[in-house]
Amino acid sequence: MDAIMLHGLIAVESAPPLKLPSAPGKAVARTYPGAPQEAASIELQPLSRTPKPNKSASTSRISFASASGSGHLPKSRTETTIFSVGPELEEQSRPGTPKADSVNDDSANIDGVEAMQSIMEPYMNRWRLLAMCLISLSNGMSDSAPGALIPSIEEYYNIGYAIVSLIFVGNALGFIAGAFFVDAIRERLGRAKTLAVGQGLISLGYIPMIATAPYPAIVVSFFFVGFGMSINLAMGNVFCGSLSNSTTALSMMHGSYGIGGTVGPLLATAMVTVFEVVWSRYYALSLGLAALGGVCGTCAFWDYERDTQQHLGSSTGGSGGQSGSTAAPKRDWRADVTAMVSALSNRVVLLGALFIFAYQGAEVSISGWVNTFLMDSRHVHDGSVGYVTAGFWGGITLGRFLLAPPAHRIGEKLFVVIVVVGACAFQLVVWLVPNLIGNAVAVAIVGLLLGPVYPCAAAVFMRNINKQKQVSGMGVISAFGSSGGAAAPFTTGLLAQAVGTFVLHPIVIGLFVVMMICWYGLPNKPKRSE
């Protein structure tokens, strides 16, 4: 017994001393801001344990150790657990994107920056601009001809100033009707087919004119012409105004309108006075140009939606998106009316509509009645007075081509004020100076100063109207402009029948004043340069 106890005591005293347990291993490595990190940061709550890593997911490895008895961490007992971070977790870890109400908040599209097209890019844009210039040329020839043809129309139908003015009313009603439907037609058919519809309606309106139908049918024909012009004018303004060099594109488009306005009275006067043909035969030429413009516009804009999506996709590094033939969601007439009312509730659209109402009213009144004023007040009974209208439209053409660069440098807001004040001064010269040659020169200068007003105004409108409301907004502005182009000449005709043709000048000067009031109320948003 004593021997056993002695043996145990010796065994205990000879055992190696006990060691204190070492510190446990680190489960997560300490990171430092300046050192490169290998593992991706993850959140622990939504993690899922998977036996194998997923190639499409981000993975992180965390080592755990368990010890039994000893404080050491043997490698054989170390377990490696793999956590996968799936695409849904990566999406959750990204910061949210601020959203804006694109319907009620205009900043939804003002603050967003997207790649803008130009005249040269995509490649088809140069042909689209050329097609719009051809269509505008045809429109100008049609709009400017009545000023030279009104005496012949009065003589042919044996009617007076008030009755012949109804052609302006029919044209304006067509413009107003077109403004209510242009956005719906574009969403259902696309831009190419919408242009085809517009040019088809214009061609349909020219047929009764060529046939010299009864005068009520002529008024209805002007309704169809106005309807079609409302469509292609809205399409052209939106296309040119959305380009990065919008002022240049709009000047080219409306300058082509001025060329047509210059050539139209020259051809109409020559056909009636020199060749002595019936006034209606002039519109055979307009019919051919309208058909040619419809074909060119349809071909040029056929893939416009697809090209636009591809351009935006390549600019943002994404895909081009769906083809332009993708069907748009259907809307009923209530949605169309809502879009028009929503556009009218925009201050820029409302002031722009009143501005173009006054501008086009003054323009068409001068073009339509200045010949009659000169024949009555200056006692000129030669048919060659119709060339004064050609001088007015020639001035508009030169103004839109030559004064656009100074307008861009000076700024559209200030430039429009300068030219409108100058036009008002020269209109007073036409009224108060009893000299035929001086009056003809003054009328041409008035056209020169009024020429760049419409392109400059359209550029300002496009910069201040958000993308969702551009088509409907420009349609409303165009419709109001056409209604001004009917109301002012019609009022001039009624008053001229009662008191004399001199009322043309007070009406025009009053419209210039209205333009300045509306222009003052428009915001002056700077133009994007990127």
Side-chain angles (χ1 to χ4, degrees):
M1 187 66 176
D2 294 337
I4 295 175
M5 292 178 63
L6 181 61
H7 182 272
L9 179 60
I10 295 172
V12 170
E13 291 178 354
S14 62
L18 293 175
K19 295 181 180 181
L20 295 177
S22 60
K26 294 179 180 179
V28 179
R30 181 176 298 178
T31 59
Y32 298 92
Q37 307 299 323
E38 295 181 357
S41 342
I42 58 173
E43 300 176 11
L44 297 180
Q45 292 296 336
L47 297 180
S48 59
R49 185 187 299 267
T50 56
K52 293 183 180 180
N54 190 352
K55 292 183 179 180
S56 62
S58 300
T59 59
S60 298
R61 295 175 179 268
I62 302 177
S63 299
F64 297 92
S66 60
S68 61
S70 168
H72 295 284
L73 298 174
K75 294 182 179 180
S76 60
R77 303 296 302 272
T78 302
E79 298 178 357
T80 300
T81 305
I82 300 174
F83 297 92
S84 80
V85 183
E88 65 281 354
L89 182 59
E90 293 179 352
E91 190 68 26
Q92 292 175 7
S93 64
R94 297 172 183 170
T97 302
K99 295 181 180 180
D101 187 357
S102 59
V103 176
N104 300 322
D105 186 7
D106 291 350
S107 64
N109 295 283
I110 294 176
D111 296 335
V113 177
E114 66 178 20
M116 297 183 69
Q117 298 185 17
S118 65
I119 297 176
M120 308 301 292
E121 183 64 31
Y123 177 81
M124 282 300 296
N125 275 1
R126 63 196 73 185
W127 298 106
R128 289 164 185 151
L129 180 59
L130 183 62
M132 294 310 306
C133 289
L134 177 61
I135 292 174
S136 295
L137 176 73
S138 175
N139 292 348
M141 292 184 63
S142 178
D143 284 346
S144 63
L149 296 177
I150 278 179
S152 299
I153 296 174
E154 291 175 351
E155 181 181 359
Y156 185 87
Y157 289 104
N158 194 22
I159 55 180
Y161 295 152
I163 301 301
V164 78
S165 299
L166 291 175
I167 60 176
F168 300 111
V169 177
N171 188 271
L173 292 177
F175 254 90
I176 296 172
F180 278 94
F181 293 101
V182 59
D183 202 17
I185 296 174
R186 179 192 62 83
E187 288 199 0
R188 287 170 172 80
L189 301 181
R191 301 203 182 208
K193 294 180 182 178
T194 300
L195 285 173
V197 170
Q199 293 302 108
L201 290 173
I202 293 174
S203 302
L204 180 64
Y206 287 145
I207 294 176
M209 298 182 190
I210 298 173
T212 322
Y215 190 72
I218 299 298
V219 176
V220 175
S221 298
F222 273 93
F223 171 86
F224 285 104
V225 172
F227 196 108
M229 287 185 181
S230 176
I231 292 175
N232 62 42
L233 180 60
M235 292 291 99
N237 283 334
V238 171
F239 168 70
C240 295
S242 62
L243 301 177
S244 59
N245 40 3
S246 59
T247 303
T248 302
L250 287 167
S251 297
M252 294 176 64
M253 173 182 159
H254 292 285
S256 301
Y257 180 90
I259 293 176
T262 305
V263 174
L266 291 175
L267 293 177
T269 302
M271 291 175 67
V272 173
T273 59
V274 178
F275 299 100
E276 297 182 352
V277 299
V278 181
W279 64 270
S280 60
R281 301 300 184 265
Y282 168 81
Y283 289 100
L285 178 61
S286 299
L287 176 61
L289 286 176
L292 179 61
V295 173
C296 293
T298 303
C299 295
F301 282 88
W302 190 256
D303 291 327
Y304 176 79
E305 287 79 6
R306 186 183 64 184
D307 290 349
T308 300
Q309 292 175 358
Q310 290 178 349
H311 179 75
L312 294 176
S314 62
S315 300
T316 57
S319 60
Q322 298 290 337
S323 173
S325 61
T326 303
K330 294 183 178 180
R331 303 192 319 178
D332 57 6
W333 63 272
R334 298 180 185 85
D336 301 332
V337 174
T338 301
M340 296 296 295
V341 174
S342 176
L344 279 172
S345 64
N346 188 296
R347 187 184 67 158
V348 176
V349 174
L350 184 59
L351 290 176
L354 294 176
F355 179 88
I356 298 300
F357 177 94
Y359 166 80
Q360 203 158 340
E363 182 186 67
V364 178
S365 296
I366 295 173
S367 173
W369 290 107
V370 68
N371 291 344
T372 305
F373 166 77
L374 294 176
M375 293 175 67
D376 291 346
S377 300
R378 306 294 181 253
H379 307 290
V380 179
H381 300 287
D382 187 4
S384 60
V385 75
Y387 293 113
V388 176
T389 304
F392 173 74
W393 285 104
I396 287 181
T397 305
L398 291 178
R400 288 178 176 173
F401 281 111
L402 300 180
L403 298 182
H408 181 71
R409 289 193 298 268
I410 297 174
E412 288 87 353
K413 288 281 289 185
L414 177 61
F415 188 81
V416 168
V417 174
I418 295 173
V419 296
V420 171
V421 171
C424 184
F426 281 96
Q427 188 66 33
L428 287 172
V429 172
V430 179
W431 183 10
L432 301 177
V433 177
N435 183 278
L436 179 61
I437 297 178
N439 294 156
V441 174
V443 169
I445 295 176
V446 170
L448 177 70
L449 296 175
L450 291 180
V453 171
Y454 198 108
C456 291
V460 172
F461 300 155
M462 290 293 296
R463 288 203 299 266
N464 289 279
I465 302 175
N466 65 23
K467 196 172 184 63
Q468 275 74 14
K469 296 179 182 178
Q470 282 181 356
V471 174
S472 59
M474 293 305 295
V476 170
I477 291 174
S478 300
F480 268 76
S482 179
S483 60
F490 181 69
T491 304
T492 303
L494 291 177
L495 295 177
Q497 187 92 25
V499 299
T501 55
F502 74 92
V503 297
L504 166 68
H505 308 290
I507 290 174
V508 169
I509 293 174
L511 291 172
F512 287 159
V513 174
V514 174
M515 290 170 60
M516 289 294 91
I517 295 174
C518 296
W519 193 250
Y520 177 78
L522 286 170
N524 188 19
K525 182 183 177 182
K527 183 178 180 180
R528 283 175 54 184
S529 59
E530 66 271 12

